[in-house]
Amino acid sequence: MAQSSQDTTDSPDAPSSSRPATAYSPARIATAAALPVALVVGVIVAAVLANRAPVEREPLVLPAVPAPAADGPECAALLPALPATLSEFTESTIVEPAPPATRAWQRDDGGEDTIVLRCGLDRPLEFNRASALQIVNGVQWFEVRDPTVEVSTWFAVDRGTYVALTIAHGSGPTPLQVVSDTISAAVPAQPIDPGPLPE
């Protein structure tokens, strides 16, 4: 794939046409569908609470998604290293029972935008050998856009587990840059493992 001074893409050789179709587990399909929905739920709850209490933020409600490696060493190293502030976003309290290996940040002014990080996920369904990647501060990211709710979920794909960062459009580049720095420092890189091309 093409490579520029700011973005880098990886595209291993495509598999032969004899490759069998890939079967995805219901859990992985549920994860891919649930990530943007989970953020929307959090945003709606935040909006309602902001109308009731525009100064003091209430804890954020986040549904769980499958995260089989949430208890692994990569998440154990990453989560405590994450900063309390991402640009104009500050860390939110998540209503218990909080999803495992999850952190969230909201705007200081009580705005609706929310940033959610989840660690220990399965490989995203859309990530295959033809996927375009972007390198940000030493981390290879794969972006999944959901224009219907105006959010993107960025998956760090070159670590021992998958880390998802869901960001509302218009949040600026700083959150992704800061989280990239944290991942680079806390979790060793490893070769990417994309899925096969769809038949």
Side-chain angles (χ1 to χ4, degrees):
M1 265 182 276
Q3 181 175 4
S4 67
S5 60
Q6 294 181 346
D7 297 341
T8 300
T9 60
D10 291 324
S11 176
D13 293 337
S16 67
S17 58
S18 61
R19 180 183 294 276
T22 303
Y24 296 116
S25 70
R28 291 182 61 194
I29 295 173
T31 301
L35 283 171
V37 174
L39 178 63
V40 172
V41 171
V43 168
I44 292 173
V45 171
V48 172
L49 294 175
N51 288 332
R52 288 167 37 194
V55 176
E56 295 186 8
R57 300 180 313 186
E58 297 290 336
L60 188 64
V61 178
L62 290 178
V65 300
D71 294 330
E74 294 84 3
C75 297
L78 174 62
L79 295 179
L82 290 167
T85 300
L86 296 175
S87 186
E88 68 269 31
F89 295 79
T90 54
E91 189 170 3
S92 299
T93 300
I94 302 175
V95 172
E96 296 293 341
T102 300
R103 295 289 185 272
W105 297 262
Q106 292 175 277
R107 289 191 183 275
D108 295 336
D109 60 8
E112 298 180 7
D113 291 346
T114 302
I115 297 173
V116 177
L117 180 142
R118 298 176 185 270
C119 186
L121 306 183
D122 283 319
R123 182 175 62 204
L125 290 175
E126 302 90 341
F127 178 45
N128 59 53
R129 296 168 66 89
S131 296
L133 302 179
Q134 296 188 41
I135 296 180
V136 179
N137 296 358
V139 178
Q140 296 189 63
W141 293 95
F142 169 60
E143 181 186 12
V144 177
R145 282 181 170 264
D146 189 340
T148 61
V149 291
E150 297 187 345
V151 301
S152 288
T153 297
W154 295 81
F155 291 89
V157 298
D158 61 346
R159 307 292 140 162
T161 190
Y162 291 96
V163 180
L165 187 67
T166 304
I167 308 174
H169 295 170
S171 300
T174 301
L176 185 61
Q177 293 169 346
V178 173
V179 171
S180 296
D181 287 336
T182 307
I183 291 175
S184 291
V187 184
Q190 69 173 34
I192 63 172
D193 182 26
L197 290 171
E199 293 292 335

PDB file of all heavy atoms in Angstrom, residues 68-93:
ATOM      1  N   PRO A  68     -11.588 -10.838  26.150  1.00  0.00           N
ATOM      2  CA  PRO A  68     -11.017 -12.057  26.737  1.00  0.00           C
ATOM      3  C   PRO A  68      -9.633 -11.891  27.334  1.00  0.00           C
ATOM      4  O   PRO A  68      -9.222 -12.683  28.178  1.00  0.00           O
ATOM      5  CB  PRO A  68     -10.994 -13.036  25.551  1.00  0.00           C
ATOM      6  CG  PRO A  68     -11.025 -12.172  24.337  1.00  0.00           C
ATOM      7  CD  PRO A  68     -11.838 -10.979  24.709  1.00  0.00           C
ATOM      8  N   ALA A  69      -8.886 -10.862  26.903  1.00  0.00           N
ATOM      9  CA  ALA A  69      -7.529 -10.660  27.428  1.00  0.00           C
ATOM     10  C   ALA A  69      -7.463  -9.481  28.390  1.00  0.00           C
ATOM     11  O   ALA A  69      -6.380  -8.948  28.644  1.00  0.00           O
ATOM     12  CB  ALA A  69      -6.548 -10.461  26.277  1.00  0.00           C
ATOM     13  N   ALA A  70      -8.600  -9.073  28.943  1.00  0.00           N
ATOM     14  CA  ALA A  70      -8.624  -7.918  29.833  1.00  0.00           C
ATOM     15  C   ALA A  70      -7.766  -8.109  31.074  1.00  0.00           C
ATOM     16  O   ALA A  70      -7.257  -7.133  31.646  1.00  0.00           O
ATOM     17  CB  ALA A  70     -10.062  -7.605  30.240  1.00  0.00           C
ATOM     18  N   ASP A  71      -7.593  -9.349  31.503  1.00  0.00           N
ATOM     19  CA  ASP A  71      -6.789  -9.634  32.693  1.00  0.00           C
ATOM     20  C   ASP A  71      -5.333  -9.951  32.355  1.00  0.00           C
ATOM     21  O   ASP A  71      -4.571 -10.338  33.237  1.00  0.00           O
ATOM     22  CB  ASP A  71      -7.389 -10.815  33.468  1.00  0.00           C
ATOM     23  CG  ASP A  71      -8.754 -10.484  34.051  1.00  0.00           C
ATOM     24  OD1 ASP A  71      -8.984  -9.300  34.374  1.00  0.00           O
ATOM     25  OD2 ASP A  71      -9.587 -11.402  34.182  1.00  0.00           O
ATOM     26  N   GLY A  72      -4.950  -9.772  31.096  1.00  0.00           N
ATOM     27  CA  GLY A  72      -3.604 -10.117  30.677  1.00  0.00           C
ATOM     28  C   GLY A  72      -2.558  -9.093  31.088  1.00  0.00           C
ATOM     29  O   GLY A  72      -2.880  -7.992  31.557  1.00  0.00           O
ATOM     30  N   PRO A  73      -1.286  -9.424  30.900  1.00  0.00           N
ATOM     31  CA  PRO A  73      -0.207  -8.530  31.335  1.00  0.00           C
ATOM     32  C   PRO A  73      -0.168  -7.204  30.578  1.00  0.00           C
ATOM     33  O   PRO A  73       0.258  -6.191  31.129  1.00  0.00           O
ATOM     34  CB  PRO A  73       1.060  -9.357  31.083  1.00  0.00           C
ATOM     35  CG  PRO A  73       0.661 -10.377  30.050  1.00  0.00           C
ATOM     36  CD  PRO A  73      -0.781 -10.681  30.318  1.00  0.00           C
ATOM     37  N   GLU A  74      -0.583  -7.203  29.309  1.00  0.00           N
ATOM     38  CA  GLU A  74      -0.561  -5.958  28.541  1.00  0.00           C
ATOM     39  C   GLU A  74      -1.518  -4.929  29.143  1.00  0.00           C
ATOM     40  O   GLU A  74      -1.149  -3.755  29.319  1.00  0.00           O
ATOM     41  CB  GLU A  74      -0.914  -6.216  27.077  1.00  0.00           C
ATOM     42  CG  GLU A  74       0.099  -7.043  26.318  1.00  0.00           C
ATOM     43  CD  GLU A  74      -0.090  -8.535  26.494  1.00  0.00           C
ATOM     44  OE1 GLU A  74      -1.067  -8.938  27.173  1.00  0.00           O
ATOM     45  OE2 GLU A  74       0.716  -9.307  25.963  1.00  0.00           O
ATOM     46  N   CYS A  75      -2.725  -5.345  29.461  1.00  0.00           N
ATOM     47  CA  CYS A  75      -3.688  -4.419  30.059  1.00  0.00           C
ATOM     48  C   CYS A  75      -3.263  -4.022  31.469  1.00  0.00           C
ATOM     49  O   CYS A  75      -3.458  -2.871  31.886  1.00  0.00           O
ATOM     50  CB  CYS A  75      -5.086  -5.046  30.078  1.00  0.00           C
ATOM     51  SG  CYS A  75      -5.753  -5.387  28.424  1.00  0.00           S
ATOM     52  N   ALA A  76      -2.676  -4.968  32.201  1.00  0.00           N
ATOM     53  CA  ALA A  76      -2.203  -4.653  33.554  1.00  0.00           C
ATOM     54  C   ALA A  76      -1.123  -3.588  33.523  1.00  0.00           C
ATOM     55  O   ALA A  76      -1.003  -2.766  34.445  1.00  0.00           O
ATOM     56  CB  ALA A  76      -1.685  -5.917  34.230  1.00  0.00           C
ATOM     57  N   ALA A  77      -0.314  -3.568  32.456  1.00  0.00           N
ATOM     58  CA  ALA A  77       0.729  -2.548  32.330  1.00  0.00           C
ATOM     59  C   ALA A  77       0.176  -1.237  31.795  1.00  0.00           C
ATOM     60  O   ALA A  77       0.619  -0.150  32.199  1.00  0.00           O
ATOM     61  CB  ALA A  77       1.836  -3.058  31.412  1.00  0.00           C
ATOM     62  N   LEU A  78      -0.790  -1.316  30.901  1.00  0.00           N
ATOM     63  CA  LEU A  78      -1.285  -0.102  30.234  1.00  0.00           C
ATOM     64  C   LEU A  78      -2.201   0.742  31.106  1.00  0.00           C
ATOM     65  O   LEU A  78      -2.037   1.971  31.191  1.00  0.00           O
ATOM     66  CB  LEU A  78      -2.016  -0.490  28.944  1.00  0.00           C
ATOM     67  CG  LEU A  78      -2.711   0.653  28.194  1.00  0.00           C
ATOM     68  CD1 LEU A  78      -1.704   1.703  27.742  1.00  0.00           C
ATOM     69  CD2 LEU A  78      -3.499   0.104  27.010  1.00  0.00           C
ATOM     70  N   LEU A  79      -3.169   0.115  31.754  1.00  0.00           N
ATOM     71  CA  LEU A  79      -4.211   0.886  32.427  1.00  0.00           C
ATOM     72  C   LEU A  79      -3.687   1.847  33.487  1.00  0.00           C
ATOM     73  O   LEU A  79      -4.085   3.023  33.513  1.00  0.00           O
ATOM     74  CB  LEU A  79      -5.262  -0.066  33.020  1.00  0.00           C
ATOM     75  CG  LEU A  79      -6.056  -0.862  31.984  1.00  0.00           C
ATOM     76  CD1 LEU A  79      -7.039  -1.792  32.674  1.00  0.00           C
ATOM     77  CD2 LEU A  79      -6.781   0.052  31.017  1.00  0.00           C
ATOM     78  N   PRO A  80      -2.775   1.432  34.379  1.00  0.00           N
ATOM     79  CA  PRO A  80      -2.274   2.386  35.372  1.00  0.00           C
ATOM     80  C   PRO A  80      -1.424   3.499  34.771  1.00  0.00           C
ATOM     81  O   PRO A  80      -1.232   4.544  35.405  1.00  0.00           O
ATOM     82  CB  PRO A  80      -1.444   1.524  36.320  1.00  0.00           C
ATOM     83  CG  PRO A  80      -1.452   0.157  35.815  1.00  0.00           C
ATOM     84  CD  PRO A  80      -2.257   0.084  34.577  1.00  0.00           C
ATOM     85  N   ALA A  81      -0.924   3.291  33.560  1.00  0.00           N
ATOM     86  CA  ALA A  81      -0.075   4.308  32.928  1.00  0.00           C
ATOM     87  C   ALA A  81      -0.880   5.365  32.183  1.00  0.00           C
ATOM     88  O   ALA A  81      -0.318   6.396  31.792  1.00  0.00           O
ATOM     89  CB  ALA A  81       0.894   3.626  31.960  1.00  0.00           C
ATOM     90  N   LEU A  82      -2.152   5.144  31.980  1.00  0.00           N
ATOM     91  CA  LEU A  82      -2.961   6.106  31.231  1.00  0.00           C
ATOM     92  C   LEU A  82      -3.104   7.406  32.010  1.00  0.00           C
ATOM     93  O   LEU A  82      -3.287   7.395  33.234  1.00  0.00           O
ATOM     94  CB  LEU A  82      -4.346   5.516  30.940  1.00  0.00           C
ATOM     95  CG  LEU A  82      -4.373   4.373  29.925  1.00  0.00           C
ATOM     96  CD1 LEU A  82      -5.720   3.671  29.966  1.00  0.00           C
ATOM     97  CD2 LEU A  82      -4.066   4.886  28.521  1.00  0.00           C
ATOM     98  N   PRO A  83      -3.059   8.546  31.323  1.00  0.00           N
ATOM     99  CA  PRO A  83      -3.154   9.841  32.015  1.00  0.00           C
ATOM    100  C   PRO A  83      -4.582  10.154  32.436  1.00  0.00           C
ATOM    101  O   PRO A  83      -5.544   9.632  31.866  1.00  0.00           O
ATOM    102  CB  PRO A  83      -2.666  10.835  30.955  1.00  0.00           C
ATOM    103  CG  PRO A  83      -3.024  10.184  29.656  1.00  0.00           C
ATOM    104  CD  PRO A  83      -2.841   8.707  29.867  1.00  0.00           C
ATOM    105  N   ALA A  84      -4.704  10.990  33.433  1.00  0.00           N
ATOM    106  CA  ALA A  84      -6.033  11.426  33.881  1.00  0.00           C
ATOM    107  C   ALA A  84      -6.628  12.466  32.952  1.00  0.00           C
ATOM    108  O   ALA A  84      -7.843  12.696  32.970  1.00  0.00           O
ATOM    109  CB  ALA A  84      -5.945  11.987  35.299  1.00  0.00           C
ATOM    110  N   THR A  85      -5.804  13.079  32.116  1.00  0.00           N
ATOM    111  CA  THR A  85      -6.264  14.143  31.219  1.00  0.00           C
ATOM    112  C   THR A  85      -5.830  13.849  29.800  1.00  0.00           C
ATOM    113  O   THR A  85      -4.677  13.476  29.556  1.00  0.00           O
ATOM    114  CB  THR A  85      -5.690  15.500  31.653  1.00  0.00           C
ATOM    115  OG1 THR A  85      -6.120  15.782  32.988  1.00  0.00           O
ATOM    116  CG2 THR A  85      -6.191  16.610  30.739  1.00  0.00           C
ATOM    117  N   LEU A  86      -6.769  13.994  28.857  1.00  0.00           N
ATOM    118  CA  LEU A  86      -6.490  13.902  27.431  1.00  0.00           C
ATOM    119  C   LEU A  86      -6.983  15.199  26.789  1.00  0.00           C
ATOM    120  O   LEU A  86      -8.170  15.346  26.512  1.00  0.00           O
ATOM    121  CB  LEU A  86      -7.210  12.708  26.794  1.00  0.00           C
ATOM    122  CG  LEU A  86      -6.804  11.306  27.257  1.00  0.00           C
ATOM    123  CD1 LEU A  86      -7.703  10.258  26.610  1.00  0.00           C
ATOM    124  CD2 LEU A  86      -5.345  11.021  26.925  1.00  0.00           C
ATOM    125  N   SER A  87      -6.077  16.147  26.618  1.00  0.00           N
ATOM    126  CA  SER A  87      -6.456  17.465  26.091  1.00  0.00           C
ATOM    127  C   SER A  87      -7.494  18.072  27.020  1.00  0.00           C
ATOM    128  O   SER A  87      -7.264  18.188  28.226  1.00  0.00           O
ATOM    129  CB  SER A  87      -6.954  17.335  24.655  1.00  0.00           C
ATOM    130  OG  SER A  87      -7.192  18.595  24.088  1.00  0.00           O
ATOM    131  N   GLU A  88      -8.692  18.435  26.501  1.00  0.00           N
ATOM    132  CA  GLU A  88      -9.727  19.037  27.347  1.00  0.00           C
ATOM    133  C   GLU A  88     -10.635  17.996  27.981  1.00  0.00           C
ATOM    134  O   GLU A  88     -11.669  18.332  28.580  1.00  0.00           O
ATOM    135  CB  GLU A  88     -10.571  20.027  26.539  1.00  0.00           C
ATOM    136  CG  GLU A  88     -11.453  19.421  25.470  1.00  0.00           C
ATOM    137  CD  GLU A  88     -10.764  19.344  24.123  1.00  0.00           C
ATOM    138  OE1 GLU A  88      -9.537  19.187  24.074  1.00  0.00           O
ATOM    139  OE2 GLU A  88     -11.483  19.452  23.103  1.00  0.00           O
ATOM    140  N   PHE A  89     -10.254  16.726  27.890  1.00  0.00           N
ATOM    141  CA  PHE A  89     -11.027  15.638  28.491  1.00  0.00           C
ATOM    142  C   PHE A  89     -10.348  15.194  29.787  1.00  0.00           C
ATOM    143  O   PHE A  89      -9.122  15.066  29.844  1.00  0.00           O
ATOM    144  CB  PHE A  89     -11.113  14.447  27.544  1.00  0.00           C
ATOM    145  CG  PHE A  89     -11.877  14.708  26.278  1.00  0.00           C
ATOM    146  CD1 PHE A  89     -11.294  15.395  25.223  1.00  0.00           C
ATOM    147  CD2 PHE A  89     -13.190  14.279  26.146  1.00  0.00           C
ATOM    148  CE1 PHE A  89     -11.993  15.634  24.049  1.00  0.00           C
ATOM    149  CE2 PHE A  89     -13.893  14.513  24.979  1.00  0.00           C
ATOM    150  CZ  PHE A  89     -13.300  15.198  23.928  1.00  0.00           C
ATOM    151  N   THR A  90     -11.146  14.926  30.810  1.00  0.00           N
ATOM    152  CA  THR A  90     -10.617  14.401  32.062  1.00  0.00           C
ATOM    153  C   THR A  90     -11.288  13.071  32.384  1.00  0.00           C
ATOM    154  O   THR A  90     -12.414  12.803  31.947  1.00  0.00           O
ATOM    155  CB  THR A  90     -10.838  15.380  33.228  1.00  0.00           C
ATOM    156  OG1 THR A  90     -12.226  15.720  33.301  1.00  0.00           O
ATOM    157  CG2 THR A  90     -10.025  16.648  33.033  1.00  0.00           C
ATOM    158  N   GLU A  91     -10.575  12.258  33.144  1.00  0.00           N
ATOM    159  CA  GLU A  91     -11.050  10.897  33.409  1.00  0.00           C
ATOM    160  C   GLU A  91     -12.388  10.907  34.128  1.00  0.00           C
ATOM    161  O   GLU A  91     -12.619  11.697  35.048  1.00  0.00           O
ATOM    162  CB  GLU A  91     -10.017  10.125  34.226  1.00  0.00           C
ATOM    163  CG  GLU A  91     -10.337   8.640  34.363  1.00  0.00           C
ATOM    164  CD  GLU A  91      -9.193   7.847  34.962  1.00  0.00           C
ATOM    165  OE1 GLU A  91      -8.170   8.459  35.323  1.00  0.00           O
ATOM    166  OE2 GLU A  91      -9.324   6.620  35.059  1.00  0.00           O
ATOM    167  N   SER A  92     -13.260   9.995  33.699  1.00  0.00           N
ATOM    168  CA  SER A  92     -14.596   9.865  34.280  1.00  0.00           C
ATOM    169  C   SER A  92     -14.657   8.654  35.198  1.00  0.00           C
ATOM    170  O   SER A  92     -13.937   7.665  35.010  1.00  0.00           O
ATOM    171  CB  SER A  92     -15.652   9.706  33.184  1.00  0.00           C
ATOM    172  OG  SER A  92     -15.685  10.827  32.339  1.00  0.00           O
ATOM    173  N   THR A  93     -15.539   8.731  36.161  1.00  0.00           N
ATOM    174  CA  THR A  93     -15.867   7.567  36.975  1.00  0.00           C
ATOM    175  C   THR A  93     -16.899   6.741  36.218  1.00  0.00           C
ATOM    176  O   THR A  93     -17.862   7.284  35.660  1.00  0.00           O
ATOM    177  CB  THR A  93     -16.444   7.993  38.327  1.00  0.00           C
ATOM    178  OG1 THR A  93     -15.479   8.786  39.011  1.00  0.00           O
ATOM    179  CG2 THR A  93     -16.807   6.783  39.169  1.00  0.00           C
TER     180      THR A  93
END
